[in-house]
Amino acid sequence: VEFVLLGFSDIPNLQWILFGVFLVVYLTILMCNSIIILIIKIDSALQTPMYFFLSNFSFLEICYVTVTIPRMLMDLLTQKGNISFFACAAQMCFVLMFGGSECLLLTVMAYDRYVAICNPLHYALVMNHKVCVQLVTVSWFSAVPVVIGQTCQIFSLPFCGSNTINHFFCDIPPVLKLACGDTFVNEIAVYVVAVIFIMVPFLLIVVSYGKIISSILKLSSARGRAKAFSTCSSHLIVVVLFYGTATITYLRPKPNQSEGVGKLISLFYTVLIPTLNPIIYTLRNKDIMVALRKLLTKLLT
């Protein structure tokens, strides 16, 4: 009928501190990503494919953290981690759906940078508005049927033992540990989906950046090289952080999965990285900073 999320009940003295920290983090993520979306919407200089993808990425980040952090805050506040069977399945489904969409959207953003730097003369033709909308639509919806199928497969397993999940949200590894009987088929399915939505996009990004770096090094102007590197570095930092933690969670062997370490890694990709992303994209992006200053000037005058 229901599960119990243990969350951070093993450190009872820090419950209120954690509540305060996660509340501030959640509000920061909402505010920073909303500002990025607003700036891109109202500033005509940012009406380009790169910023169209970035605004979608920011909205996706808001959706992604909203699936986990509010629930975690409620559990910290009430000191209860009870979650219904259906709510647990829904949470897992949405976390995987938005996570898969992020992987695909990061790949699209890498392709956009590849076309901009390696084929600048054809950029406007290749990355026209129709193509951008199609790429974003594919990123948002490709993972949906796969994730729904995988969630149904996991939650159709018999759960006849403990109902206590040693985690702060319903993720695949801790839920599979509670299932009775043989979960080998489910584990193989998790690996296959992880390869499709994590490893394949990551390899495509690596190939894109290999060609981008090769093209940048051929530029004769040092200023041109610096500008090209600066437009790609933010995206590359986000890719390394997100894919690194996702790979450790979903592609490491089951016997090596420590629950404490798993919880810590999950904190990285569900809380810390979404907090860093808007900071990375704004502080390392001159166009966004200029647009932000213009907006602040308008508001203050």
Side-chain angles (χ1 to χ4, degrees):
V1 177
E2 68 173 12
F3 293 105
V4 178
L5 292 164
L6 287 182
F8 303 96
S9 57
D10 51 337
I11 41 174
N13 298 335
L14 296 176
Q15 298 288 298
W16 287 106
I17 295 170
L18 288 172
F19 177 82
V21 169
F22 290 136
L23 179 62
V24 170
V25 162
Y26 181 58
L27 294 175
T28 303
I29 292 168
L30 292 186
M31 185 180 70
C32 292
N33 282 296
S34 298
I35 289 169
I36 290 173
I37 294 166
L38 178 67
I39 289 170
I40 291 169
K41 190 79 177 170
I42 65 175
D43 197 302
S44 56
L46 301 180
Q47 303 301 309
T48 64
M50 183 171 91
Y51 294 109
F52 173 69
F53 295 135
L54 181 56
S55 64
N56 271 274
F57 185 74
S58 294
F59 182 65
L60 189 52
E61 288 279 73
I62 291 171
C63 297
Y64 185 60
V65 296
T66 301
V67 179
T68 53
I69 299 181
R71 172 84 218 187
M72 188 173 24
L73 290 171
M74 189 180 79
D75 290 345
L76 286 166
L77 192 64
T78 60
Q79 305 286 303
K80 293 176 184 177
N82 299 56
I83 183 168
S84 70
F85 190 83
F86 177 76
C88 189
Q91 188 183 48
M92 181 187 287
C93 186
F94 281 112
V95 167
L96 296 175
M97 199 184 296
F98 292 134
S101 297
E102 276 203 28
C103 290
L104 296 175
L105 192 54
L106 285 168
T107 311
V108 167
M109 291 165 83
Y111 175 68
D112 171 67
R113 292 299 82 213
Y114 161 73
V115 177
I117 292 167
C118 299
N119 297 297
L121 298 176
H122 299 107
Y123 182 68
L125 183 67
V126 174
M127 300 303 289
N128 61 64
H129 184 67
K130 185 182 176 183
V131 170
C132 291
V133 170
Q134 287 172 344
L135 288 170
V136 165
T137 305
V138 168
S139 299
W140 272 94
F141 296 107
S142 291
V144 174
V146 178
V147 165
I148 290 173
Q150 187 163 61
T151 306
C152 291
Q153 187 189 38
I154 289 169
F155 281 87
S156 63
L157 289 166
F159 294 93
C160 50
S162 170
N163 70 334
T164 305
I165 301 172
N166 189 8
H167 214 288
F168 56 88
F169 74 97
C170 292
D171 203 3
I172 293 176
V175 170
L176 269 182
K177 280 186 177 181
L178 301 184
C180 302
D182 188 17
T183 59
F184 179 74
V185 174
N186 301 86
E187 286 164 35
I188 293 298
V190 170
Y191 285 130
V192 170
V193 172
V195 166
I196 294 168
F197 285 98
I198 299 174
M199 290 311 296
V200 172
F202 181 68
L203 290 172
L204 290 172
I205 291 170
V206 168
V207 170
S208 297
Y209 272 99
K211 297 197 173 198
I212 287 167
I213 291 165
S214 175
S215 295
I216 289 171
L217 294 174
K218 288 175 186 172
L219 294 173
S220 55
S221 160
R223 190 177 176 184
R225 282 198 298 270
K227 188 178 179 183
F229 270 122
S230 70
T231 60
C232 298
S233 58
S234 303
H235 182 249
L236 206 51
I237 292 165
V238 171
V239 164
V240 170
L241 289 170
F242 185 74
Y243 278 95
T245 50
T247 301
I248 292 167
T249 300
Y250 297 108
L251 285 171
R252 61 188 171 149
K254 194 178 178 184
N256 298 338
Q257 292 187 4
S258 157
E259 288 178 338
V261 173
K263 212 185 286 187
L264 186 64
I265 292 166
S266 297
L267 266 180
F268 264 86
Y269 69 81
T270 57
V271 179
L272 183 63
I273 295 170
T275 311
L276 293 175
N277 284 351
I279 298 166
I280 292 166
Y281 276 115
T282 50
L283 294 180
R284 295 188 62 84
N285 190 306
K286 288 179 184 176
D287 295 336
I288 293 274
M289 292 304 288
V290 167
L292 184 57
R293 285 193 200 101
K294 273 163 49 179
L295 179 65
L296 288 172
T297 306
K298 278 183 185 178
L299 292 171
L300 296 171
T301 53

